[in-house]
Amino acid sequence: MTEHAGTPVAALRRSHTQLAALVGGLSATAIEGPSYASEWTIAQVLSHLGSGAEIGLLAVAAARAGDEPPAQDALEAVWDRWNAKSPADQAADCPGADRRLVEALEAIGPDEAGGLTFHIGPMELDTTGYARLRLAEHAVHVWDVAVMGDPAATVDEVAVDQLMEVLPMLAGFVGRSTGEARRVRVTTTGPDQDLLLDVGADSLRLGPWDGGDEPARLLSSAEALLRLVYGRLDPAHTPASVETSGVGLDDLRALFPGF
């Protein structure tokens, strides 16, 4: 086992390997065709990941040097350069940029990792937190590409295991109450968790099950729950194993419109 085994960095390495294999098998037609992210082609998804990797390298360098995070004009220059690439070049250049970020994170030893601070918008993250943040978009965007060629594709199980750590925070950030208060007990497998989706008239929270009343239930794999929160559990991509009682899946989908 490497020193990063079982960490978000290891999960990110695995997700990168999957991305590189996917890109290597794409035709020119597929690259310019739609991704699951409705507003982006596959090339644009790859451009987003590639530019994000370059910005991540700037963030790693700043954190290791103890410098200020990259300025907005530096970020915009990266985005402009990637947006100007042809679809073929966006696809061709993405895996290399992505690999360099993974290697930079892998190069941070355990003694150094705990002392680094990554400034991402209003957040201050340690190395683990930053790697998990990158994984949170990376693994799902890999799915956005993979599912266009394989409707049965799933988000990688190793990434899911890592992202369940931050799913409650993410759900609270992206979820939107539809105005109807409800409590849903959410039981997942892979990993096994017992959670409460507590929806108020104008609030939404996902957290540990509190042992209270359970007028509604959702039984789901953790992977399907993750995609629900990301707005990627439409009827065509919902496993038959997902079960509800006292609440409809469409009601739950409406809480998470996607991003």
Side-chain angles (χ1 to χ4, degrees):
M1 297 178 67
T2 70
E3 67 181 26
H4 292 290
T7 68
V9 173
L12 196 54
R13 164 60 74 176
R14 180 179 166 107
S15 192
H16 163 73
T17 300
Q18 293 165 344
L19 174 69
L22 270 175
V23 173
L26 291 174
S27 67
T29 300
I31 287 169
E32 297 190 37
S35 73
Y36 188 88
S38 60
E39 296 182 357
W40 284 348
T41 64
I42 284 178
Q44 287 171 317
V45 170
L46 299 176
S47 178
H48 176 72
L49 289 175
S51 61
E54 284 200 14
I55 289 170
L57 282 170
L58 297 177
V60 170
R64 297 190 80 175
D67 293 338
E68 291 296 313
Q72 184 65 25
D73 59 351
L75 308 186
E76 291 177 358
V78 173
W79 291 325
D80 288 345
R81 183 158 40 79
W82 278 84
N83 289 338
K85 294 175 185 281
S86 69
D89 285 343
Q90 288 171 334
D93 295 348
C94 172
D98 191 55
R99 184 193 69 250
R100 288 188 287 275
L101 175 58
V102 174
E103 290 173 346
L105 290 168
E106 290 173 334
I108 299 172
D111 292 339
E112 181 186 11
L116 298 184
T117 300
F118 291 77
H119 298 273
I120 309 298
M123 297 181 290
E124 291 189 359
L125 303 170
D126 61 11
T127 306
T128 295
Y130 174 74
R132 192 173 277 129
L133 182 69
R134 172 67 176 174
L135 180 66
E137 69 167 355
H138 195 282
V140 175
H141 281 320
V142 168
W143 183 85
D144 286 339
V145 175
V147 77
M148 303 311 293
D150 177 10
T154 56
V155 179
D156 180 62
E157 61 183 357
V158 174
V160 171
D161 191 58
Q162 286 290 331
L163 296 179
M164 287 299 287
E165 296 286 332
V166 294
L167 194 62
M169 178 186 70
L170 181 66
F173 181 70
V174 304
R176 298 290 183 268
S177 172
T178 55
E180 180 181 355
R182 65 171 79 242
R183 286 166 53 89
V184 182
R185 185 176 181 179
V186 181
T187 304
T188 69
T189 57
D192 297 347
Q193 292 199 11
D194 206 10
L195 304 169
L196 169 65
L197 178 59
D198 190 4
V199 185
D202 58 1
S203 63
L204 183 151
R205 184 181 69 86
L206 181 67
W209 171 244
D210 63 5
D213 295 335
E214 48 176 85
R217 293 292 304 269
L218 169 63
L219 306 177
S220 171
S221 67
E223 190 272 342
L225 176 63
L226 178 77
R227 286 195 287 110
L228 172 67
V229 171
Y230 275 80
R232 286 164 167 80
L233 196 69
D234 65 279
H237 298 93
T238 298
S241 58
V242 175
E243 300 179 13
T244 62
S245 61
V247 65
L249 263 177
D250 283 343
D251 295 323
L252 297 177
R253 292 180 182 116
L255 299 172
F256 301 102
F259 59 100

